Amino acid sequence: MYTSNLNNLILNSDSYKTSHWVQYPSGSEYLSSYIEARKGDYDVMFFGLQAFIKEYLSTPITHQDIDEAEMVIQAHGLTFNRAGWERLVDKHGGYLPLRIEAVPEGSIVPVSNVVCQVINTDPEFYWLPSYIETALLRAIWYPSTVASVSHYCKNIIRKALEKSADNTDSLTFRLHDFGSRGASSQESVALGSLAHLVNFAGTDSMAALIAASRWYQMGQDMPAFSIPAAEHSTMTAWGRDGETAAFANMIEQFGGEGKAFSVVSDSYDLWNAIDNIWGGSLKDDVKNMGGTLVIRPDSGEPTKVVREALERLAVKFGTTINSKGYKVLPDYVRIIQGDGISPQSLTKIINV
């Protein structure tokens, strides 16, 4: 059994790259590796490079790393450039003699454009740019993909607000991130949710808050916000006959001037919840609590459910007409759709 540190940068590559140092022609001095999206459905929003540099390239390679890597790589059936790595430790203190050039993070570029390239600064280490390519690709493409999709969705929402709302001031809070439970690891949560925050200011992924401070020096500034919210377990714990009490408890706990909270309302019957609880027995409490109730449908066909929910709320709470001629619910009640959201469904939901 071979054990090693997952943060050993020498092992952070494709296996086959360990054999490349003897494949380049004699006299090689400099090599450049570059990264681009060859094709895709969206423009590329570049993000994630600084996080990778700080997390992985700011710690020098050590002789212990070399010993561990040699054991693993040779047992794996490959050749190992021990002399090269030892020379790197002796000559550069274990830091990689590389220059990484990239478009500014947050830049938006069309596909088929180079967003980043890496080149060695010491001719002795011509083999190093290609060796680091695997880790660099992985570090950039996941957060860049999330940022790119998020930016695409932001444009959809912006156009909808420009069409139907008095202003676009609320744009950065119109797409909230709940990606923490669906990511492959804590680091994926941190990178992916942080990438979303390039475009928006709402997340329930607390790892992104730590990542912003750790990798992007946000300091004391809070990069994103959230609100108290119910889930089905906190509502169904009251039982079907206690649903009204469960909802009333949410108002008591989280209502107040300038406050907002979200309540999942389809545990038993969404339409009953809207018509007879929120718009019935608790109507005056909702109107007078001083904050904003955000009702969350969580099942059914989103385009149909959102439309009907809005229509039923309009009947119960009334509407005003804004400058664009659209009906608007009172400030104290809103809807959030959290199920069935994708770049493809977003436009359909907004246009119901």
Side-chain angles (χ1 to χ4, degrees):
M1 178 64 67
Y2 296 95
T3 60
S4 185
N5 182 2
L6 278 175
N7 290 326
N8 187 335
L9 192 64
I10 304 175
L11 296 173
N12 192 350
S13 188
D14 289 311
S15 300
Y16 73 96
K17 286 186 177 289
T18 63
S19 67
H20 286 181
W21 61 287
V22 291
Q23 296 183 36
Y24 293 108
S26 177
S28 296
E29 293 187 345
Y30 294 97
L31 187 146
S32 171
S33 292
Y34 67 88
I35 297 173
E36 69 165 296
R38 296 191 182 109
K39 60 182 179 179
D41 297 327
Y42 317 111
D43 287 341
V44 176
M45 175 172 275
F46 180 72
F47 185 72
L49 177 60
Q50 184 168 300
F52 173 71
I53 291 173
K54 288 187 174 181
E55 188 69 17
Y56 293 99
L57 301 188
S58 297
T59 301
I61 300 292
T62 66
H63 287 292
Q64 181 179 354
D65 292 331
I66 296 171
D67 291 340
E68 288 179 342
E70 182 178 43
M71 177 179 63
V72 172
I73 290 169
Q74 288 188 344
H76 190 41
L78 294 159
T79 182
F80 181 66
N81 186 10
R82 184 179 184 93
W85 288 108
E86 287 186 332
R87 177 64 173 160
L88 187 145
V89 171
D90 295 340
K91 188 175 183 179
H92 296 287
Y95 292 99
L96 308 188
L98 297 173
R99 181 173 67 249
I100 300 175
E101 299 172 317
V103 300
E105 294 201 47
S107 296
I108 302 164
V109 297
V111 295
S112 299
N113 280 276
V114 174
V115 295
C116 177
Q117 78 161 351
V118 55
I119 187 171
N120 56 299
T121 58
D122 184 332
E124 283 192 56
F125 301 93
Y126 59 87
W127 47 271
L128 197 52
S130 178
Y131 198 95
I132 203 70
E133 177 195 36
T134 300
L136 192 57
L137 276 168
R138 184 179 63 248
I140 288 172
W141 283 123
Y142 172 64
S144 291
T145 297
V146 174
S148 300
V149 174
S150 177
H151 180 260
Y152 177 81
C153 292
K154 187 177 183 179
N155 284 336
I156 294 174
I157 299 170
R158 178 189 286 109
K159 290 177 182 177
L161 288 174
E162 289 171 347
K163 175 184 176 182
S164 63
D166 288 332
N167 57 65
T168 61
D169 294 347
S170 64
L171 177 59
T172 56
F173 288 99
R174 290 298 185 182
L175 187 63
H176 196 84
D177 164 43
F178 291 96
S180 184
R181 64 184 56 201
S184 61
S185 67
Q186 180 81 335
E187 184 173 276
S188 294
V189 175
L191 286 169
S193 295
L194 192 58
H196 174 77
L197 295 182
V198 177
N199 301 292
F200 293 95
T203 186
D204 261 48
S205 299
M206 289 188 284
L209 311 180
I210 306 304
S213 176
R214 179 181 178 90
W215 295 327
Y216 289 87
Q217 298 178 319
M218 296 298 295
Q220 298 301 312
D221 295 331
M222 176 51 61
F225 302 90
S226 186
I227 61 174
E231 68 177 24
H232 287 110
S233 72
T234 62
M235 296 297 96
T236 58
W238 296 71
R240 187 174 192 130
D241 293 338
E243 187 171 37
T244 299
F247 289 175
N249 180 64
M250 293 295 291
I251 296 175
E252 179 182 353
Q253 297 296 331
F254 305 114
E257 193 67 35
K259 297 181 178 180
F261 60 96
S262 172
V263 184
V264 61
S265 301
D266 72 332
S267 297
Y268 305 104
D269 183 340
L270 176 63
W271 309 133
N272 178 67
I274 291 176
D275 294 342
N276 300 317
I277 304 179
W278 294 125
S281 56
L282 296 180
K283 181 177 179 178
D284 289 341
D285 296 317
V286 172
K287 292 175 64 175
N288 299 324
M289 68 178 177
T292 301
L293 162 67
V294 183
I295 295 173
R296 178 163 69 94
D298 201 50
S299 55
E301 170 56 41
T303 54
K304 296 178 181 178
V305 170
V306 169
R307 183 184 185 93
E308 185 168 348
L310 290 170
E311 290 174 343
R312 287 174 182 255
L313 287 171
V315 170
K316 292 297 180 178
F317 292 100
T319 60
T320 56
I321 305 298
N322 69 8
S323 62
K324 302 290 180 64
Y326 284 82
K327 295 178 180 179
V328 181
L329 289 168
D331 290 342
Y332 53 76
V333 63
R334 290 289 183 267
I335 287 226
I336 181 172
Q337 176 63 32
D339 180 61
I341 302 297
S342 70
Q344 292 70 39
S345 68
L346 190 58
T347 301
K348 296 178 182 178
I349 295 170
I350 288 174
N351 288 336
V352 295

